[in-house]
């Protein structure tokens, strides 16, 4: 089986024209959900540890809170989690 791995990492389509990219995975690509799950696993653990209710599928996430202040703290937690992951 001849697998061209480069096709999974290159390009985005804008107005029907494919433009080459130098990094990342294309939105909707087969690797995108897998990589999101790997990257966000630590965030899931932290949200669970703090008792937050949340639903996440790949890079889509809803965190349910009872107040604006709790939402602000949850947003800060997400921000810090991304800063730690590089």
């Amino acid at each position: 089986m001849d697998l061209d791995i480069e096709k999974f990492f290159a390009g985005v389509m804008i107005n029907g024209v494919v433009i080459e990219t130098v990094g990342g995975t294309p939105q909707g690509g087969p690797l995108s959900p897998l990589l999101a799950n790997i990257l966000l696993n630590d965030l899931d653990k932290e949200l669970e540890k703090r008792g937050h209710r949340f639903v996440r599928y790949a890079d889509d996430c809803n965190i349910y809170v009872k107040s604006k202040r709790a939402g602000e703290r949850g947003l800060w937690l997400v921000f810090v989690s991304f800063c730690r992951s590089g």
Side-chain angles (χ1 to χ4, degrees), residues 67-82:
S67 69
K68 181 178 178 180
R69 176 78 176 122
E72 290 168 349
R73 287 192 311 262
L75 185 58
W76 181 251
L77 175 64
V78 171
F79 174 76
V80 170
S81 177
F82 280 116

Side-chain angles (χ1 to χ4, degrees), residues 33-72:
L34 174 65
L35 295 175
N37 282 329
I38 292 168
L39 177 70
L40 297 174
N41 188 51
D42 289 339
L43 175 62
D44 292 349
K45 290 178 183 178
E46 188 65 30
L47 289 169
E48 288 173 353
K49 183 174 91 173
R50 293 176 182 233
H52 291 297
R53 292 179 170 219
F54 68 98
V55 176
R56 188 178 66 75
Y57 178 77
D59 61 350
D60 294 323
C61 184
N62 291 327
I63 303 171
Y64 302 98
V65 296
K66 293 182 180 180
S67 69
K68 181 178 178 180
R69 176 78 176 122
E72 290 168 349

